[in-house]
């Protein structure tokens, strides 16, 4: 970037993820006017991006047809001072009534800035580096003096006791500032001998800047903020560039800065520890929430286990009943099987007896047949009636297994013989 750029302002943005409305920085001087940084957390036209723009603080105070040619760029830093992003340089860009703002509509994606890995503790700082290379002063409808501006303001504010101006060494200052301005010129007579601007409005504004820096230097170091010190450094650089001799004030500022760093060294560590504690508290809170969820889940799981245990117990009872039924059925089956075995043995015995009786019948039948043949041979026809009777009753004889009947008929045959 070139060596002529100077850091004009450092703006710290906190709780970025919760910001939705545009943020304006404190005004800072450069090139004969005050500027502001406009920060759009949710973008200027695109909600997905961070937008950064540079604009004059009060364009109307610059008159008509004013212009400023400026070069500038922005640097984004995290809480630890590590550079997150550096924008390209906007070079030789004219600011005027028709072009009040220039900047970067899509500086960085918003999702990247809210990423905890990229940015610490939801905060970051923006540094502005600027160089005004050309100034075109505007003209006013009234004479370009603070007195006329005062006249217009008096129309709005009738109580003008503290609005009257006094000329002190060519500077129009408020009556309440006369003592301070005269003291400055008494202690440092050559402080403004090299001022190049002849415009009373511009010169008055520069004197206001000088008095503001001196007021900052008069504060106790512990009551100062880092932004105030940064702005004081930037404003003194601006005053030097336009011709003010403020080396004595720069020395004072360095001393105050050293005191401030000493006073805030412990405070800074305490702040870091406090932030660390807050982060730990948030972490503990998240863990507690997770623990409650797990407890609720465990309670639900325990209820499920109990329900399953009850179901298993019921199933076990039913199984024992079925086992008891199965034992009873088995006993009945074994009893029936034993009875069947006994009956089968009895049946086999009866079958054996039947077979023996049948063998006896067959033997008797054969004997009877032999006797019949023999009888036929001996008796001839005279015994036909007996034979006929015998023949008629033959089937009946062999169709019975009554041994007594067979024996009776055999006795008949013996008598006939």
């Amino acid at each position: 970037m070139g060596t002529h750029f100077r850091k004009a302002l450092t703006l710290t943005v906190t709780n970025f993820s919760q910001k939705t409305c545009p943020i304006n920085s404190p005004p800072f001087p450069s090139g004969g006017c005050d500027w502001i940084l406009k920060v759009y957390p949710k973008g200027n036209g695109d909600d997905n991006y961070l937008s950064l723009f540079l604009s004059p603080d009060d364009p109307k105070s610059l008159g008509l047809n004013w212009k400023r040619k400026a070069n500038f760029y922005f640097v984004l830093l995290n809480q630890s001072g590590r550079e997150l992003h550096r924008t390209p340089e906007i070079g030789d860009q004219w600011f005027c009534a028709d072009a009040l703002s220039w900047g970067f509509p899509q500086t960085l994606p918003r999702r990247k800035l809210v990423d905890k890995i990229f940015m610490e503790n939801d905060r970051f700082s923006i540094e502005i580096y600027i160089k005004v290379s050309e100034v075109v002063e505007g003209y006013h409808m009234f004479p370009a003096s603070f007195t006329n501006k005062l006249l217009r303001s008096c129309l709005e504010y009738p109580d003008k006791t503290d609005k009257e101006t006094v000329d002190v060494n060519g500077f129009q200052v408020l009556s309440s500032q006369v003592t301070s301005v005269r003291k400055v010129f008494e202690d440092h007579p050559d402080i403004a001998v090299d001022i190049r601007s002849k415009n009373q409005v511009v010169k008055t504004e520069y004197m206001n800047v000088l008095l503001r820096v001196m007021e900052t230097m008069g504060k106790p170091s512990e009551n100062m903020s880092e932004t105030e010190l940064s702005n004081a450094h930037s404003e003194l650089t601006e005053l030097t560039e336009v011709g003010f001799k403020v080396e004595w004030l720069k020395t004072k500022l360095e001393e105050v800065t050293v005191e401030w760093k000493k006073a805030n060294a412990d405070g800074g560590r305490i702040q870091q520890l406090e932030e660390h504690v807050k982060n730990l508290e948030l972490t503990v809170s998240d863990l507690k929430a997770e623990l409650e969820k797990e407890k609720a889940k465990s309670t639900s799981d325990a209820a499920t286990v109990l329900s399953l245990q009850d179901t298993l117990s019921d199933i076990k009872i039913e199984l024992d009943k079925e086992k008891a039924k199965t034992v009873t059925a088995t006993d009945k089956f074994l009893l029936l099987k034993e009875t069947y075995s006994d009956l089968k043995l009895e049946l086999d015995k009866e079958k054996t007896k039947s077979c023996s009786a049948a063998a006896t019948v067959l033997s008797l039948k054969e004997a009877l047949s032999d006797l019949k043949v023999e009888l036929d041979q001996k008796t001839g026809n005279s015994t036909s009636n007996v034979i006929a009777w015998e023949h008629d009753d033959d089937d009946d004889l062999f169709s019975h297994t009554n041994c007594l009947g067979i024996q009776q008929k055999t006795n008949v045959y013996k008598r006939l013989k």
Side-chain angles (χ1 to χ4, degrees):
M1 291 291 175
T3 57
H4 297 293
F5 283 94
R6 69 178 183 85
K7 184 170 72 172
L9 177 72
T10 300
L11 176 67
T12 300
V13 180
T14 59
N15 298 322
F16 172 75
S17 61
Q18 302 176 15
K19 294 288 194 302
T20 57
C21 299
I23 303 169
N24 290 342
S25 73
F28 60 92
S30 184
C33 71
D34 283 346
W35 303 81
I36 59 171
L37 167 65
K38 293 183 177 181
V39 182
Y40 295 85
K42 297 201 73 173
N44 184 22
D46 189 340
D47 292 350
N48 297 317
Y49 286 88
L50 168 74
S51 300
L52 300 178
F53 290 91
L54 182 66
S55 303
D57 179 36
D58 186 10
K60 293 182 179 180
S61 67
L62 300 177
L64 301 176
N65 294 334
W66 63 272
K67 289 184 180 181
R68 298 291 188 275
K69 182 188 285 187
N71 300 51
F72 66 94
Y73 63 92
F74 305 118
V75 177
L76 276 66
L77 307 172
N78 67 5
Q79 186 178 357
S80 301
R82 181 172 64 87
E83 183 175 311
L84 302 176
H85 179 70
R86 183 182 292 256
T87 68
E89 176 189 327
I90 292 183
D92 293 334
Q93 187 62 57
W94 282 102
F95 290 80
C96 61
D98 295 330
L100 292 176
S101 297
W102 292 96
F104 301 91
Q106 297 181 343
T107 307
L108 270 180
R110 181 178 171 84
R111 58 177 173 76
K112 190 172 185 180
L113 282 170
V114 298
D115 190 341
K116 293 182 180 180
I117 298 177
F118 184 76
M119 187 172 63
E120 300 173 358
N121 298 324
D122 202 21
R123 61 184 295 169
F124 63 94
S125 298
I126 307 170
E127 294 181 344
I128 306 170
Y129 292 84
I130 187 171
K131 176 180 178 294
V132 178
S133 57
E134 191 171 345
V135 175
V136 175
E137 298 289 357
Y139 60 89
H140 299 264
M141 296 299 293
F142 299 94
S145 66
F146 196 84
T147 304
N148 289 322
K149 289 182 67 178
L150 176 62
L151 178 60
R152 281 180 291 166
S153 65
C154 286
L155 296 176
E156 300 176 6
Y157 305 98
D159 184 8
K160 57 184 180 180
T161 304
D162 197 38
K163 299 295 182 178
E164 297 177 355
T165 60
V166 178
D167 183 275
V168 179
N169 288 43
F171 290 84
Q172 296 291 330
V173 297
L174 296 175
S175 58
S176 60
Q177 298 172 328
V178 170
T179 301
S180 299
V181 174
R182 283 177 178 172
K183 177 64 175 174
V184 170
F185 280 104
E186 288 175 3
D187 295 339
H188 307 281
D190 60 344
I191 188 173
V193 295
D194 293 333
I195 296 296
R196 294 183 291 272
S197 178
K198 304 302 180 183
N199 188 300
Q200 284 294 338
V201 175
V202 174
K203 290 175 64 177
T204 298
E205 181 61 27
Y206 280 137
M207 182 55 67
N208 289 334
V209 171
L210 177 62
L211 294 175
R212 184 163 62 241
V213 173
M214 293 176 62
E215 182 182 0
T216 300
M217 296 301 96
K219 289 183 178 180
S221 57
E222 61 271 14
N223 293 339
M224 291 184 188
S225 66
E226 185 178 1
T227 301
E228 287 179 320
L229 284 174
S230 177
N231 290 343
H233 278 283
S234 300
E235 289 170 344
L236 281 181
T237 302
E238 178 71 16
L239 291 173
T240 302
E241 289 180 355
V242 299
F244 279 89
K245 294 181 179 182
V246 288
E247 293 301 325
W248 57 276
L249 198 51
K250 286 185 178 180
T251 303
K252 176 65 175 176
L253 179 58
E254 293 300 329
E255 294 174 356
V256 171
T257 301
V258 171
E259 292 178 1
W260 181 86
K261 288 182 178 179
K262 289 181 179 179
N264 287 273
D266 294 337
R269 285 194 293 270
I270 291 173
Q271 183 180 2
Q272 290 180 352
L273 289 174
E274 288 178 347
E275 291 179 352
H276 186 60
V277 169
K278 288 181 180 179
N279 291 335
L280 289 177
E281 288 176 348
L282 291 174
T283 302
V284 170
S285 178
D286 293 340
L287 290 175
K288 285 183 177 179
E290 290 295 327
L291 180 60
E292 292 299 328
K293 290 181 181 179
E294 290 299 325
K295 285 183 178 179
K297 185 178 179 181
S298 299
T299 302
S300 176
D301 292 342
T304 302
V305 170
L306 290 175
S307 176
L308 290 174
Q309 287 179 342
D310 292 341
T311 302
L312 181 61
S313 178
D314 293 340
I315 293 175
K316 188 175 180 181
I317 292 172
E318 291 295 326
L319 180 61
D320 291 339
K321 291 180 179 179
E322 292 299 323
K323 283 183 178 180
K325 290 180 180 179
T326 303
V327 171
T328 303
T330 302
D331 292 341
K332 289 181 179 180
F333 172 76
L334 291 175
L335 181 61
L336 289 174
K337 184 176 180 181
E338 185 177 354
T339 303
Y340 169 77
S341 179
D342 294 340
L343 290 173
K344 187 176 181 182
L345 288 174
E346 292 294 328
L347 180 62
D348 289 340
K349 290 180 180 179
E350 291 300 325
K351 283 183 178 180
T352 302
K353 291 180 180 180
S354 298
C355 290
S356 176
T360 302
V361 170
L362 289 175
S363 177
L364 291 173
K365 185 177 180 180
E366 290 178 354
L368 181 62
S369 178
D370 292 340
L371 289 172
K372 182 180 177 182
V373 172
E374 184 178 354
L375 180 61
D376 289 338
Q377 292 176 355
K378 289 183 177 184
T379 60
N381 295 327
S382 61
T383 59
S384 57
N385 292 332
V386 176
I387 297 301
W389 168 83
E390 187 179 271
H391 176 75
D392 292 336
D393 202 26
D394 186 57
D395 290 335
D396 180 66
L397 176 65
F398 290 99
S399 64
H400 293 82
T401 58
N402 191 329
C403 296
L404 180 60
I406 294 174
Q407 186 65 40
Q408 292 175 349
K409 291 186 178 184
T410 304
N411 291 336
V412 171
Y413 281 110
K414 286 182 178 182
R415 287 192 302 269
L416 290 174
K417 186 177 177 181

